[in-house]
Amino acid sequence: MTELAFTPRLALSSLSGESDAEWARAGSDYAGAAVLGGIALDSRSREAARKLVERERTEFLPDDPLAFIDRQLAALEDAPLTAGFNVRSATVDPIAEAAAVCRDREAFLEINAHCRQAELCAAGCGETLLQDGPRLCEYVEAATETGATVGVKVRAEVPGVDLPDLARALEDAGARYVHVDAMDSEGVIADVVGATGSDLFVIANNGVRDAETVREYRAHGADAVSVGRPSDDPDVLERVRAAVDREFDTDADSGSDSQTGVESTRPQP
């Protein structure tokens, strides 16, 4: 099983249609992990992705999504970072199939419960999954059963969704991490950390651009931070990497769980 405890504690967050192996390599001087994708797996999510392309959004739409995942991860076998793939599906079986590909490439799988485009939500994937916790947990369980390291990309400020409660349910279902887009509610990171066990790795996302944002998310208990849109901007990555090196002193305060392989760097109370 792939260890998620990457160093430095900076991840590159997926950007649909842009985050491929070449993108990950370009950021590998700064980041310890990269999430490729997102990619639509089943017929409903792929049709939604085609509709997004029609309105000039970028999307990965290869003929064979699983083969594409495999090729992209193979291209990163010698890269100095931990790789993962963000996937979308309106049905559970393709999630397990993608998880098996990630497992075989020693990569992690990230289930997309984050994208809020109307086309994806109408298809039953993306943010819609946040409002259907049992189905999302079913996805996690199916992926985890393959032996893959599994996480979920989630979003704060979704009506009717108690994110800390959902994170706890995802942890119980076998998720090894949650990747939280905090939106304008940075304190939700502390709420998620407080509601879950120390073995659930929490990656904080949204607005990570400089030392101030890294310090804030670290103070809320995040185990790592991620950079999204500016992930191809060396100036931003250099600033964030320097802040991560200062704020996430993994040698001084990390604790390792020999069973899960996940290290926690959360500040001690």
Side-chain angles (χ1 to χ4, degrees), residues 152-180:
V152 184
K153 180 74 178 287
V154 299
R155 179 190 297 279
E157 301 181 357
V158 176
V161 176
D162 187 315
L163 201 53
D165 281 353
L166 179 61
R168 186 164 53 246
L170 296 174
E171 180 181 25
D172 291 342
R176 301 279 300 287
Y177 78 94
V178 288
H179 189 174
V180 183

Short mmCIF file of all heavy atoms in Angstrom, two decimals, residues 152-180:
data_model
loop_
_atom_site.label_atom_id
_atom_site.label_comp_id
_atom_site.label_asym_id
_atom_site.label_seq_id
_atom_site.Cartn_x
_atom_site.Cartn_y
_atom_site.Cartn_z
N VAL A 152 -10.41 11.34 -0.54
CA VAL A 152 -11.57 12.00 -1.14
C VAL A 152 -11.31 13.50 -1.18
O VAL A 152 -10.88 14.09 -0.18
CB VAL A 152 -12.86 11.72 -0.34
CG1 VAL A 152 -14.06 12.34 -1.04
CG2 VAL A 152 -13.08 10.23 -0.15
N LYS A 153 -11.58 14.12 -2.31
CA LYS A 153 -11.53 15.58 -2.43
C LYS A 153 -12.93 16.11 -2.13
O LYS A 153 -13.92 15.72 -2.78
CB LYS A 153 -11.11 15.99 -3.85
CG LYS A 153 -11.03 17.52 -4.08
CD LYS A 153 -9.83 18.12 -3.42
CE LYS A 153 -9.72 19.64 -3.68
NZ LYS A 153 -9.32 19.95 -5.07
N VAL A 154 -13.03 16.99 -1.14
CA VAL A 154 -14.31 17.51 -0.69
C VAL A 154 -14.29 19.03 -0.69
O VAL A 154 -13.24 19.65 -0.83
CB VAL A 154 -14.66 16.98 0.72
CG1 VAL A 154 -14.76 15.47 0.73
CG2 VAL A 154 -13.62 17.44 1.75
N ARG A 155 -15.45 19.60 -0.49
CA ARG A 155 -15.61 21.06 -0.51
C ARG A 155 -16.42 21.52 0.70
O ARG A 155 -17.42 20.89 1.06
CB ARG A 155 -16.34 21.46 -1.80
CG ARG A 155 -16.60 22.94 -1.95
CD ARG A 155 -17.52 23.20 -3.14
NE ARG A 155 -16.94 22.81 -4.40
CZ ARG A 155 -16.07 23.54 -5.09
NH1 ARG A 155 -15.67 24.72 -4.61
NH2 ARG A 155 -15.61 23.14 -6.25
N ALA A 156 -15.99 22.62 1.29
CA ALA A 156 -16.76 23.22 2.38
C ALA A 156 -17.90 24.05 1.80
O ALA A 156 -17.99 24.30 0.60
CB ALA A 156 -15.86 24.11 3.23
N GLU A 157 -18.81 24.46 2.68
CA GLU A 157 -19.90 25.38 2.36
C GLU A 157 -20.92 24.80 1.38
O GLU A 157 -21.52 25.54 0.59
CB GLU A 157 -19.35 26.72 1.83
CG GLU A 157 -18.43 27.43 2.82
CD GLU A 157 -17.92 28.76 2.30
OE1 GLU A 157 -18.24 29.11 1.15
OE2 GLU A 157 -17.21 29.45 3.05
N VAL A 158 -21.12 23.48 1.43
CA VAL A 158 -22.16 22.86 0.61
C VAL A 158 -23.42 22.74 1.48
O VAL A 158 -23.37 22.11 2.55
CB VAL A 158 -21.73 21.49 0.10
CG1 VAL A 158 -22.86 20.81 -0.67
CG2 VAL A 158 -20.50 21.63 -0.79
N PRO A 159 -24.54 23.30 1.07
CA PRO A 159 -25.75 23.26 1.90
C PRO A 159 -26.14 21.83 2.29
O PRO A 159 -26.13 20.92 1.46
CB PRO A 159 -26.82 23.88 0.99
CG PRO A 159 -26.05 24.77 0.07
CD PRO A 159 -24.75 24.07 -0.18
N GLY A 160 -26.45 21.67 3.57
CA GLY A 160 -26.91 20.39 4.06
C GLY A 160 -25.82 19.38 4.37
O GLY A 160 -26.12 18.24 4.76
N VAL A 161 -24.57 19.76 4.19
CA VAL A 161 -23.47 18.83 4.41
C VAL A 161 -22.68 19.24 5.65
O VAL A 161 -22.15 20.36 5.72
CB VAL A 161 -22.51 18.77 3.19
CG1 VAL A 161 -21.31 17.87 3.49
CG2 VAL A 161 -23.26 18.28 1.97
N ASP A 162 -22.62 18.35 6.63
CA ASP A 162 -21.78 18.55 7.81
C ASP A 162 -20.44 17.89 7.50
O ASP A 162 -20.28 16.67 7.61
CB ASP A 162 -22.43 17.90 9.04
CG ASP A 162 -21.70 18.20 10.32
OD1 ASP A 162 -20.44 18.12 10.32
OD2 ASP A 162 -22.34 18.51 11.33
N LEU A 163 -19.48 18.71 7.08
CA LEU A 163 -18.22 18.15 6.58
C LEU A 163 -17.45 17.36 7.63
O LEU A 163 -16.91 16.29 7.32
CB LEU A 163 -17.36 19.26 5.98
CG LEU A 163 -16.28 18.83 4.99
CD1 LEU A 163 -16.86 17.98 3.88
CD2 LEU A 163 -15.58 20.05 4.43
N PRO A 164 -17.36 17.83 8.87
CA PRO A 164 -16.67 17.01 9.88
C PRO A 164 -17.31 15.64 10.07
O PRO A 164 -16.61 14.62 10.17
CB PRO A 164 -16.75 17.87 11.14
CG PRO A 164 -16.84 19.27 10.63
CD PRO A 164 -17.68 19.17 9.41
N ASP A 165 -18.65 15.59 10.13
CA ASP A 165 -19.33 14.30 10.26
C ASP A 165 -19.05 13.41 9.05
O ASP A 165 -18.83 12.20 9.18
CB ASP A 165 -20.84 14.50 10.41
CG ASP A 165 -21.24 14.90 11.82
OD1 ASP A 165 -20.36 14.89 12.72
OD2 ASP A 165 -22.43 15.22 12.03
N LEU A 166 -19.08 14.00 7.87
CA LEU A 166 -18.82 13.22 6.66
C LEU A 166 -17.39 12.70 6.66
O LEU A 166 -17.14 11.54 6.30
CB LEU A 166 -19.07 14.08 5.42
CG LEU A 166 -18.80 13.38 4.08
CD1 LEU A 166 -19.69 12.16 3.91
CD2 LEU A 166 -18.97 14.36 2.92
N ALA A 167 -16.44 13.53 7.06
CA ALA A 167 -15.04 13.09 7.11
C ALA A 167 -14.87 11.91 8.04
O ALA A 167 -14.12 10.96 7.74
CB ALA A 167 -14.14 14.25 7.54
N ARG A 168 -15.57 11.94 9.16
CA ARG A 168 -15.50 10.81 10.10
C ARG A 168 -16.07 9.54 9.46
O ARG A 168 -15.50 8.45 9.61
CB ARG A 168 -16.25 11.15 11.38
CG ARG A 168 -16.10 10.09 12.47
CD ARG A 168 -16.53 10.63 13.83
NE ARG A 168 -17.86 11.21 13.80
CZ ARG A 168 -18.12 12.51 14.00
NH1 ARG A 168 -17.14 13.36 14.25
NH2 ARG A 168 -19.36 12.97 13.97
N ALA A 169 -17.17 9.68 8.72
CA ALA A 169 -17.75 8.52 8.05
C ALA A 169 -16.82 7.99 6.96
O ALA A 169 -16.69 6.76 6.77
CB ALA A 169 -19.10 8.90 7.44
N LEU A 170 -16.15 8.88 6.24
CA LEU A 170 -15.21 8.46 5.22
C LEU A 170 -14.02 7.73 5.83
O LEU A 170 -13.53 6.73 5.29
CB LEU A 170 -14.73 9.67 4.41
CG LEU A 170 -15.80 10.39 3.59
CD1 LEU A 170 -15.23 11.66 2.97
CD2 LEU A 170 -16.38 9.48 2.51
N GLU A 171 -13.56 8.23 6.96
CA GLU A 171 -12.48 7.56 7.67
C GLU A 171 -12.91 6.14 8.08
O GLU A 171 -12.16 5.17 7.89
CB GLU A 171 -12.09 8.37 8.90
CG GLU A 171 -10.96 7.76 9.72
CD GLU A 171 -10.63 8.59 10.95
OE1 GLU A 171 -11.51 9.33 11.43
OE2 GLU A 171 -9.49 8.48 11.42
N ASP A 172 -14.11 6.01 8.61
CA ASP A 172 -14.62 4.70 9.00
C ASP A 172 -14.76 3.76 7.79
O ASP A 172 -14.63 2.54 7.93
CB ASP A 172 -15.99 4.84 9.68
CG ASP A 172 -15.90 5.51 11.05
OD1 ASP A 172 -14.78 5.54 11.62
OD2 ASP A 172 -16.94 5.97 11.55
N ALA A 173 -15.01 4.33 6.62
CA ALA A 173 -15.16 3.53 5.40
C ALA A 173 -13.82 3.09 4.83
O ALA A 173 -13.78 2.27 3.91
CB ALA A 173 -15.94 4.31 4.35
N GLY A 174 -12.73 3.67 5.34
CA GLY A 174 -11.40 3.26 4.89
C GLY A 174 -10.57 4.33 4.24
O GLY A 174 -9.43 4.06 3.81
N ALA A 175 -11.09 5.56 4.13
CA ALA A 175 -10.30 6.63 3.53
C ALA A 175 -9.05 6.90 4.36
O ALA A 175 -9.12 6.95 5.59
CB ALA A 175 -11.13 7.90 3.41
N ARG A 176 -7.94 7.09 3.69
CA ARG A 176 -6.70 7.41 4.37
C ARG A 176 -6.48 8.91 4.47
O ARG A 176 -5.67 9.36 5.28
CB ARG A 176 -5.52 6.79 3.60
CG ARG A 176 -5.60 5.27 3.47
CD ARG A 176 -5.13 4.55 4.69
NE ARG A 176 -3.74 4.87 5.01
CZ ARG A 176 -2.68 4.43 4.33
NH1 ARG A 176 -2.85 3.67 3.27
NH2 ARG A 176 -1.46 4.76 4.71
N TYR A 177 -7.17 9.68 3.63
CA TYR A 177 -7.02 11.13 3.70
C TYR A 177 -8.26 11.81 3.15
O TYR A 177 -9.05 11.22 2.42
CB TYR A 177 -5.77 11.60 2.95
CG TYR A 177 -5.90 11.65 1.44
CD1 TYR A 177 -6.26 12.83 0.78
CD2 TYR A 177 -5.63 10.53 0.66
CE1 TYR A 177 -6.37 12.87 -0.59
CE2 TYR A 177 -5.73 10.57 -0.72
CZ TYR A 177 -6.10 11.75 -1.34
OH TYR A 177 -6.20 11.79 -2.71
N VAL A 178 -8.42 13.08 3.53
CA VAL A 178 -9.39 13.97 2.90
C VAL A 178 -8.64 15.21 2.42
O VAL A 178 -7.75 15.71 3.10
CB VAL A 178 -10.55 14.38 3.84
CG1 VAL A 178 -11.49 13.21 4.06
CG2 VAL A 178 -10.05 14.93 5.15
N HIS A 179 -9.01 15.65 1.25
CA HIS A 179 -8.41 16.83 0.61
C HIS A 179 -9.49 17.89 0.60
O HIS A 179 -10.46 17.79 -0.16
CB HIS A 179 -7.97 16.44 -0.80
CG HIS A 179 -7.16 17.45 -1.51
ND1 HIS A 179 -6.59 17.21 -2.75
CD2 HIS A 179 -6.79 18.71 -1.19
CE1 HIS A 179 -5.93 18.27 -3.15
NE2 HIS A 179 -6.05 19.20 -2.23
N VAL A 180 -9.37 18.88 1.48
CA VAL A 180 -10.48 19.79 1.78
C VAL A 180 -10.28 21.14 1.12
O VAL A 180 -9.36 21.88 1.45
CB VAL A 180 -10.61 19.99 3.31
CG1 VAL A 180 -11.81 20.87 3.61
CG2 VAL A 180 -10.74 18.66 4.03
#
